[in-house]
Amino acid sequence: MDLKMERFFILNTLTLILIISVERTSVLSCPTNCRCRGKAVKCSSGFSSFPAGLDATTVYLSISGTESQKNTISSLSKTDIQGIQSLFTLIITYSGVQTVQNDAFSILSNLHDLSLADNDIRTLTADSFKGLTKLRTLDLSGNTNCKLDKNVLTHISGLEELNLGNMNLQNLDKDFFTNLAQLKNLKLYMNGIKEIHQDVLAPLKALKTLDLNGNRLLGLPVELKPMFNNMNVHFSENPWQCNCQLLWLRELPGKLVSSPIDTSEIICNGPKSLKYHSFVNVPESNFICIPPKVIRCDQTKYSLDVNLRLTISCEYEGDPIPEVKFVRPDGFEIDGRDTVSGKYELSENGTLTISSVAIEDDGDWTVSAYNKTAHGDLKVNVHVIITTTSTTTTSTSTTSTTTSTTTTTTTTTPTTTLKLTQGKTTSKLANGPLASALSQNPVVATQAGATQAGVTHQQQAGATHQQQTAKPKSTINPDLLGPVDVIDTRSTKKVDSTTQSVRDGKDKVETVIKENPINYGLMAASAAGGGTIVGIICIIVMCCKKKQNNEKNKISPFEDDFDL
């Protein structure tokens, strides 16, 4: 008996030692700030990196901070997961995760449940969940600034539950859920979604529950009616527009009313007459629609220089609230509120802004307000002004001036004057080549009223000629004028003539001008407009003609003053 008792005692002692040893080993393999029980490990806050020393047999791992005490595990990689490939459930929340490497979970072939909720993940690509062939639930909610690749769900086609709530998605690509034929529960709450196209949900043949609470939905397409007949839908806290296009929801089975979110919480946001009314209590006769229309635009005609900024503001009406489209004169469309297309921006309120107008914007624009059943248009004309620069070529001469534009041009050239001499007469005026030249090329004056003082001033100015608008004038061939003595006005020589001779010549000219004022007025104008030399020669010729026709008016003293 004593032997048996001794053996029993020894056996119990060994068993106790073994139990203590196992428990001690378990304690040693549980990381700090974590609680371990069997194959489950639950860690709280205080981590700046992935916990180390986890048991290889761990199947449940939770690393969760709190909203006020978040972990700071900025990145997840394949190295962090190495050694715990048996995980069935992985939860990492409130841990400040920003980056998930493409192959981070590739060795977790047995993982069924994954939650990365309430982190700061920036981007998830098509390979972020590569290798998770057995994944059934995925929670990404609360990553409000996360950009999802349209193929991010490609490698997890076996999903049954997906939570994308509070991620600020706003818009969903129509092929986003293409591979999720087994999905049963979809949460899209609090995403700012304004519209759901029927094609987005079409691949979800097994869907039983859809949560659309807290979005910006005004309505839902009637094409969703067959799908909604077989599921529970949650869509409270949306600004529903209770009109004819939403009436079909009233035709759904009674279970819609008894869904977890009672339809008494579905409140109409519009039209104004139904605002704050309960959806289920509004009479069917009040669910009406108003055709879309462009009421007015601030202006219907715009005229502005090229490259300037243009804003076209219009007012619209219609129920359901119409979509807006602007069509450029060449047919290019800026379609949909809150749309940016190159230099064109169409705001939420339907205002079009063109950052820099160009030639393609010139013409009649079409402003359209439309919905599925009708549309209303208004024309807006935009005139784009394009400024061009012209080049002017000016030619100057000592005998004539040709003007092509109204631009004033200053040119400096040497000026010639006739030398006045005393006591010489010439027969060249009456019978020489000068008379023949003048008879063949009559000079036409284009300016009247020019004075002798103006001519004298032009001679004194030297090298400056101002271009004036005038028709081209006939010119005299210099070869026909014969020899003419000239002097440079820049010379310091003075004209040698007696005062009496000049006065006699002046008196003769004044006498002739009084007898025929029109001809000599024209000659004076010619002197002002055509040049000093031509003007003086014309006066001399007229004096000669007058001498031939009328013996009473002799101007020989005047001729004696010119040395030709």
Side-chain angles (χ1 to χ4, degrees):
M1 180 67 70
D2 293 336
L3 182 60
K4 291 181 178 181
M5 290 295 294
E6 184 178 352
R7 290 178 177 176
F8 179 76
F9 176 77
I10 294 172
L11 182 61
N12 285 339
T13 301
L14 292 173
T15 301
L16 181 60
I17 292 173
L18 179 62
I19 292 174
I20 293 173
S21 177
V22 171
E23 289 183 353
R24 186 176 182 181
T25 300
S26 299
V27 170
L28 289 175
S29 63
C30 191
T32 305
N33 293 334
C34 296
R35 291 183 299 161
C36 302
R37 180 172 295 179
K39 297 180 179 181
V41 179
K42 190 172 184 179
C43 304
S44 57
S45 59
F47 289 91
S48 58
S49 61
F50 201 86
L54 293 168
D55 191 275
T57 62
T58 302
V59 296
Y60 178 95
L61 174 61
S62 174
I63 308 171
S64 300
T66 63
E67 189 171 1
S68 59
Q69 293 183 328
K70 295 182 179 181
N71 293 312
T72 56
I73 306 173
S74 61
S75 179
L76 294 177
S77 66
K78 186 177 181 178
T79 304
D80 297 326
I81 311 297
Q82 199 75 38
I84 50 174
Q85 291 94 323
S86 299
L87 281 177
F88 186 90
T89 300
L90 176 60
I91 301 172
I92 306 176
T93 62
Y94 289 112
S95 293
V97 177
Q98 298 178 1
T99 305
V100 177
Q101 296 185 11
N102 286 342
D103 60 348
F105 307 115
S106 59
I107 61 175
L108 300 180
S109 58
N110 195 49
L111 193 67
H112 279 61
D113 307 313
L114 175 62
S115 176
L116 298 174
D118 299 308
N119 284 289
D120 301 313
I121 300 174
R122 297 171 182 173
T123 303
L124 290 173
T125 71
D127 293 327
S128 293
F129 303 116
K130 186 177 182 179
L132 301 179
T133 56
K134 295 183 179 181
L135 195 66
R136 296 295 177 263
T137 65
L138 176 63
D139 188 354
L140 299 174
S141 63
N143 289 281
T144 55
N145 296 312
C146 184
K147 182 180 180 181
L148 298 179
D149 186 278
K150 66 177 183 179
N151 298 314
V152 68
L153 305 176
T154 299
H155 296 293
I156 48 178
S157 57
L159 275 182
E160 296 179 357
E161 297 184 17
L162 177 61
N163 188 347
L164 300 177
N166 192 25
M167 293 188 68
N168 196 31
L169 297 179
Q170 295 188 7
N171 298 294
L172 294 172
D173 189 276
K174 66 177 182 178
D175 298 323
F176 191 75
F177 301 116
T178 297
N179 298 322
L180 303 184
Q182 300 180 44
L183 192 67
K184 298 177 181 179
N185 187 351
L186 176 60
K187 296 181 180 180
L188 295 172
Y189 59 85
M190 296 178 65
N191 271 306
I193 297 173
K194 295 180 289 185
E195 180 182 9
I196 294 183
H197 196 274
Q198 62 268 23
D199 293 341
V200 173
L201 301 178
L204 306 179
K205 305 298 183 181
L207 195 62
K208 297 298 180 183
T209 303
L210 176 62
D211 188 346
L212 294 172
N213 290 333
N215 283 288
R216 299 173 62 188
L217 293 168
L218 302 178
L220 289 169
V222 68
E223 290 81 1
L224 292 175
K225 182 177 179 181
M227 177 179 287
F228 281 17
N229 279 329
N230 301 313
M231 70 171 68
N232 292 323
V233 184
H234 308 267
F235 44 46
S236 63
E237 300 179 37
N238 280 280
W240 297 111
Q241 195 73 8
C242 295
N243 52 46
C244 64
Q245 291 193 359
L246 201 63
L247 185 59
W248 66 271
L249 287 176
R250 297 280 293 268
E251 302 172 4
L252 294 177
K255 64 179 181 180
L256 179 67
V257 178
S258 60
S259 65
I261 301 298
D262 193 284
T263 54
S264 62
E265 297 181 17
I266 302 176
I267 304 299
C268 295
N269 188 62
K272 291 183 179 180
S273 59
L274 299 179
K275 194 175 181 68
Y276 305 125
H277 284 64
S278 171
F279 175 78
V280 296
N281 295 327
V282 175
E284 290 188 8
S285 59
N286 290 347
F287 284 80
I288 60 175
C289 289
I290 300 174
K293 180 182 179 181
V294 183
I295 302 175
R296 69 179 66 86
C297 293
D298 288 350
Q299 294 178 228
T300 56
K301 291 185 178 181
Y302 294 86
S303 181
L304 70 168
D305 290 332
V306 67
N307 297 328
L308 291 183
R309 182 184 181 90
L310 174 63
T311 299
I312 303 177
S313 299
C314 302
E315 295 182 21
Y316 313 91
E317 71 175 7
D319 192 7
I321 296 175
E323 194 52 87
V324 176
K325 175 173 64 177
F326 280 75
V327 183
R328 206 168 61 186
D330 61 1
F332 178 77
E333 296 183 352
I334 303 95
D335 192 358
R337 299 173 187 263
D338 202 15
T339 297
V340 178
S341 179
K343 66 179 181 178
Y344 305 101
E345 180 178 355
L346 185 54
S347 65
E348 180 68 26
N349 66 0
T351 296
L352 177 68
T353 300
I354 307 175
S355 60
S356 177
V357 297
I359 188 63
E360 64 267 18
D361 301 315
D362 184 87
D364 288 332
W365 284 70
T366 301
V367 187
S368 294
Y370 69 94
N371 56 29
K372 291 182 178 180
T373 59
H375 68 90
D377 300 338
L378 184 67
K379 294 290 185 180
V380 174
N381 181 267
V382 176
H383 175 52
V384 179
I385 302 172
I386 300 179
T387 304
T388 58
T389 304
S390 61
T391 303
T392 303
T393 303
T394 304
S395 174
T396 61
S397 172
T398 57
T399 58
S400 64
T401 302
T402 301
T403 303
S404 59
T405 68
T406 59
T407 305
T408 300
T409 306
T410 302
T411 308
T412 302
T413 60
T415 304
T416 59
T417 62
L418 291 177
K419 183 192 296 183
L420 299 178
T421 60
Q422 183 178 9
K424 292 185 179 182
T425 60
T426 178
S427 62
K428 295 179 182 178
L429 291 175
N431 302 313
L434 178 60
S436 175
L438 292 174
S439 63
Q440 295 176 10
N441 298 278
V443 178
V444 180
T446 59
Q447 293 183 348
T451 63
Q452 183 178 358
V455 175
T456 303
H457 175 73
Q458 185 175 7
Q459 293 174 340
Q460 293 174 349
T464 304
H465 292 272
Q466 286 194 341
Q467 182 179 337
Q468 302 179 7
T469 303
K471 296 182 179 179
K473 295 178 283 294
S474 300
T475 59
I476 301 174
N477 188 347
D479 296 335
L480 299 178
L481 295 178
V484 179
D485 294 331
V486 298
I487 62 172
D488 192 340
T489 57
R490 292 171 293 184
S491 173
T492 58
K493 292 183 179 181
K494 297 182 180 180
V495 177
D496 184 17
S497 61
T498 62
T499 304
Q500 183 61 40
S501 177
V502 172
R503 288 178 179 176
D504 292 343
K506 180 178 179 182
D507 293 339
K508 293 290 186 179
V509 172
E510 290 178 351
T511 303
V512 175
I513 291 175
K514 288 180 180 179
E515 293 179 2
N516 198 344
I518 296 178
N519 289 339
Y520 289 94
L522 293 175
M523 293 306 101
S526 175
T532 303
I533 295 176
V534 175
I536 294 176
I537 292 174
C538 290
I539 294 174
I540 295 172
V541 171
M542 291 303 300
C543 292
C544 293
K545 286 186 176 182
K546 195 66 178 180
K547 176 182 178 181
Q548 294 175 354
N549 296 332
N550 190 352
E551 292 296 331
K552 294 181 180 181
N553 297 318
K554 295 186 178 182
I555 56 173
S556 56
F558 181 74
E559 293 175 342
D560 291 342
D561 294 334
F562 295 84
D563 182 16
L564 299 177

